[in-house]
C-alpha cells in the first residue's frame, strides 16, 4: 500500500480531509493536477475568501437549498464555530465577521487561508503531490483499491476520497473529473446546472446600462407568472443581462427553470422598495410640482441614477419633451408602475464555467451522510462540491467543503483502523 488514504483534489474539502486524517495518524497522499494547491480557494470572495458564515444550524439549513438535510450531520461535526476555532486557535489565522455574518481572514487575503492550510498539511506530514492528475480509480466490484494517474502509474490505498470540486471556473482545475470517476464505479450523477450565476435577459436595453449598479433595490422572480423568490440588496447591469449579489442568489432557483424552458422566468426590479406605490406617486407628484415648467426628461434626476433615466422614459411611453404639467394621471401611474416593477425576461443563465457553484453532482442518496462514504464502493469517500449539495452565497459553500472534508478524513481513518484490527 502506498498510503492509508489517497485524496484526489487539493481544494478546501480535500485539504482539510488530508490533514484531519494525518492528525489521526494515517499516511495520506494528497493529489492535485495543478502546480499549486487551493487554486479556486485563492480567488474566493473576490480574493478575500468568505470562508464561512457565523450562524447556527437553522441559518445553515436555510442557506443550503441543495440537499441541506444531507448536510445536517456534517455541519454538526464541524460547525462554523468549530471551523473558526480551527483557523484561529489551531492554524493561527485571525478572522473577522462582517455584514450578514460573513467570515473573512482579518488580512482580507484568501491567499493567507491557503497558506495556513498548506502549512498544516506539511506539519502533519501529508505527502502533497501537485501537477499530478488522476485518470481513474482502481477498484474491484465493491472495494476501492487506489488510483491510476494520467502517466499510467498506479497508487494503492484502501481508502480514496474524491474531492475534485464542481464544473465552474475550469481554469482552477475543477473540470468535473470526479463525476466521471464516480459514474464508472456505479454512482449516479444528478444533472449539473449552474448556480450563483449572472443571468442573460431577452431585453437588449440592459446593454445601455452596462456597469450600472443599483443598491437597495428589491428583485422578485416569477416562473410562468408564479412568484419564486424576492431578494433585497445590490444588483448590477451587464452587457448581456443582470448580475450582482441578489441576482446570484435568485439564480439558484431560476437557472434550472430557464435551462429547461427558456424565457419561462421573469424578474421585476422594484427601484423604490422603501415606498409604497401610493407614496411613490405622491413623491413623483411633488417632484413634478417643483419643476412645473420643465419637460419630462429633465425631472427624474432626484429620483433615479442618470444612466437609467433614458431607459425608463422610453419604457414609460411618455414623450420625453412633454412639459410635466401636461402629464396626465394615467401616464404618471404607468411611470410609477415601472419604477415599482421594472420587468425583464430571463433567457438563460451564463455558461456553467462562469458559475460560483454547480447544482447537481454525485447523488447524495448513494453516500452515507454520517461518514461521506459511498454506499456502493467500500473505502470510497466524497467531499465538497463534487456531491449534489450547494448553498447560497455568504460562506456556506466553503463551509460545506470544510465540513464534509473533515468528516470524510475522520471516517476514512476509522475505516482503515477497523480494517487493521
Ligand atoms: C469566483 C468564485 C468565488 C467563490 N467565493 C466563495 C466564497 O467567498 N465563499 C464560499 O463559501 N464559496 C465561494 N465559492 C465556492 C467555493 O469556492 C467552492 O464551493 C469550493 O471551492 C469547493 O471546494 P472543493 O474542495 O469541493 O473543490 P475545489 O475547490 O473546486 O477543488 C477541487 C480540486 O480538485 C482538483 N482536481 C480536479 N480533478 C482532478 C484530477 N483528475 N486529478 C487531480 N486533481 C484534480 C482541482 O485541480 C482542484 O484543485 C466561490 C467560487 C468561485 C468560482
Amino acid at each position: 500500500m502506498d498510503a492509508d488514504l489517497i485524496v484526489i483534489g487539493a481544494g478546501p474539502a480535500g485539504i482539510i480531509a488530508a490533514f484531519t486524517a494525518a492528525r489521526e495518524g494515517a499516511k495520506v497522499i494528497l493529489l492535485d493536477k495543478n502546480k499549486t494547491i487551493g487554486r479556486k480557494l485563492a480567488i474566493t470572495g473576490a480574493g478575500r475568501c468568505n470562508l464561512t458564515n457565523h450562524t447556527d444550524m437553522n441559518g445553515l439549513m436555510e442557506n443550503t437549498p441543495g440537499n441541506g438535510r444531507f448536510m445536517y450531520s456534517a455541519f454538526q461535526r464541524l460547525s462554523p464555530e468549530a471551523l473558526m476555532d480551527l483557523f484561529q486557535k489551531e492554524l493561527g489565522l485571525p478572522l473577522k465577521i462582517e455584514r450578514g455574518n460573513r467570515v473573512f481572514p482579518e488580512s482580507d487575503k484568501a491567499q493567507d487561508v491557503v497558506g495556513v492550510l498548506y502549512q498544516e498539511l506539511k506539519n502533519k506530514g501529508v505527502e502533497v503531490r501537485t501537477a499530478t492528475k488522476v485518470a481513474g480509480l482502481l477498484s474491484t466490484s465493491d472495494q476501492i483499491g487506489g488510483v491510476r494517474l494520467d502517466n499510467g502509474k498506479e497508487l494503492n490505498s484502501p481508502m480514496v476520497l474524491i474531492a475534485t470540486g464542481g464544473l465552474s471556473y475550469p481554469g482552477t482545475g475543477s473540470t468535473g473529473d470526479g463525476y466521471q470517476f464516480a459514474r464508472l464505479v456505479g454512482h449516479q450523477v444528478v444533472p449539473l446546472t449552474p448556480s450563483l450565476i449572472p443571468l442573460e435577459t431577452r431585453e437588449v436595453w440592459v446593454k445601455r446600462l452596462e456597469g450600472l449598479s443599483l443598491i437597495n433595490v428589491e428583485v422578485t422572480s416569477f416562473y410562468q407568472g408564479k412568484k419564486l423568490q424576492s431578494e433585497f440588496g445590490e444588483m448590477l447591469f451587464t452587457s448581456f443581462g443582470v448580475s450582482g449579489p441578489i441576482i446570484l442568489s435568485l439564480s439558484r432557483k431560476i437557472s434550472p427553470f430557464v435551462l429547461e424552458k427558456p424565457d419561462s422566468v421573469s424578474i421585476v426590479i422594484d427601484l423604490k422598495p422603501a415606498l409604497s406605490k401610493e407614496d411613490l406617486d405622491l413623491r413623483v407628484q411633488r417632484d413634478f410640482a417643483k419643476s412645473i415648467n420643465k419637460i419630462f426628461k429633465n425631472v427624474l434626476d432626484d429620483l433615479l441614477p442618470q444612466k437609467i433615466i433614458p431607459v425608463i422614459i422610453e419604457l414609460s411611453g411618455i414623450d420625453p419633451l412633454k412639459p410635466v404639467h401636461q402629464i396626465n394621471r394615467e401616464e404618471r401611474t404607468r411611470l410609477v408602475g415601472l419604477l415599482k416593477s421594472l420587468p425583464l425576461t430571463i433567457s438563460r443563465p451564463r455558461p456553467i464555467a462562469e458559475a460560483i457553484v454547480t447544482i447537481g453532482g454525485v447523488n447524495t442518496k448513494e453516500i452515507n451522510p454520517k461518514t461521506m462514504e459511498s454506499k456502493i464502493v467500500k473505502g470510497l469517500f466524497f467531499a465538497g462540491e463534487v456531491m449534489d449539495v450547494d448553498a447560497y452565497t455568504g460562506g456556506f459553500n466553503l463551509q460545506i467543503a470544510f465540513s464534509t472534508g473533515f468528516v470524510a478524513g475522520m471516517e476514512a481513518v476509522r475505516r482503515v483502523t477497523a480494517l487493521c484490527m
Side-chain angles (χ1 to χ4, degrees), residues 248-259:
L248 297 189
S249 293
L250 291 170
S251 74
R252 170 66 179 68
K253 278 196 182 147
I254 294 177
S255 167
F257 281 124
V258 280
L259 281 172

Side-chain angles (χ1 to χ4, degrees), residues 35-74:
K35 287 196 190 117
T36 53
I37 68 161
R39 279 279 295 277
K40 186 175 277 180
L41 188 58
I43 60 161
T44 54
R48 300 203 303 134
C49 186
N50 175 198
L51 58 96
T52 184
N53 193 284
H54 188 240
T55 188
D56 57 13
M57 189 59 88
N58 284 340
L60 292 170
M61 287 296 131
E62 275 165 22
N63 284 283
T64 310
N67 283 313
R69 297 301 307 168
F70 171 83
M71 284 301 305
Y72 197 89
S73 169

